[in-house]
């Protein structure tokens, strides 16, 4: 599964592990990505979205119709 949110566009950040001796090795900060299924009443079907935990809360606040409209305006496929 790609670590990329369809709604917010959140993707991995990169940085370094820093050990006690201060040696740096590469690491990756992944967003908390979940696959969630929503009922889309306007189209009469379920849609499965790949969302970050923050985006799931956004969908709860603005509604699935507005969220799908935002995804489509970003050029995403639903």
């Amino acid at each position: 599964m790609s670590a990329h949110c369809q709604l917010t566009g959140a993707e991995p950040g990169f940085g370094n592990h820093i050990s006690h001796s201060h040696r740096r090795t590469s690491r990756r900060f992944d967003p908390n990505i979940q696959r969630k299924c929503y009922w889309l009443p306007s189209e009469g079907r379920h849609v499965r979205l790949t969302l970050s935990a923050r985006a799931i809360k956004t969908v709860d606040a603005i509604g699935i119709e507005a969220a799908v409209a935002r995804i489509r305006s970003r050029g995403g496929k639903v």
Side-chain angles (χ1 to χ4, degrees), residues 1 6 11-12 16 28 39 50-52 55 64 68 70:
M1 179 186 330
Q6 289 181 289
E11 50 193 17
N16 292 306
R28 174 176 156 141
W39 173 250
T50 304
L51 302 171
S52 64
I64 185 62
V68 167
R70 281 191 195 179

Side-chain angles (χ1 to χ4, degrees), residues 12-70:
F14 295 89
N16 292 306
H17 284 289
I18 301 181
S19 69
H20 180 69
S21 65
H22 236 62
R23 288 180 61 101
R24 288 168 167 82
T25 54
S26 186
R27 66 159 292 177
R28 174 176 156 141
F29 296 90
D30 284 329
N32 185 3
I33 297 293
Q34 311 291 325
R35 286 182 63 101
K36 190 144 169 66
C37 193
Y38 290 98
W39 173 250
L40 193 57
S42 64
E43 297 182 15
R45 68 185 182 106
H46 284 92
V47 291
R48 181 175 291 152
L49 301 175
T50 304
L51 302 171
S52 64
R54 183 180 66 182
I56 291 172
K57 295 172 191 172
T58 302
V59 170
D60 290 344
I62 67 173
I64 185 62
E65 298 287 347
V68 167
R70 281 191 195 179

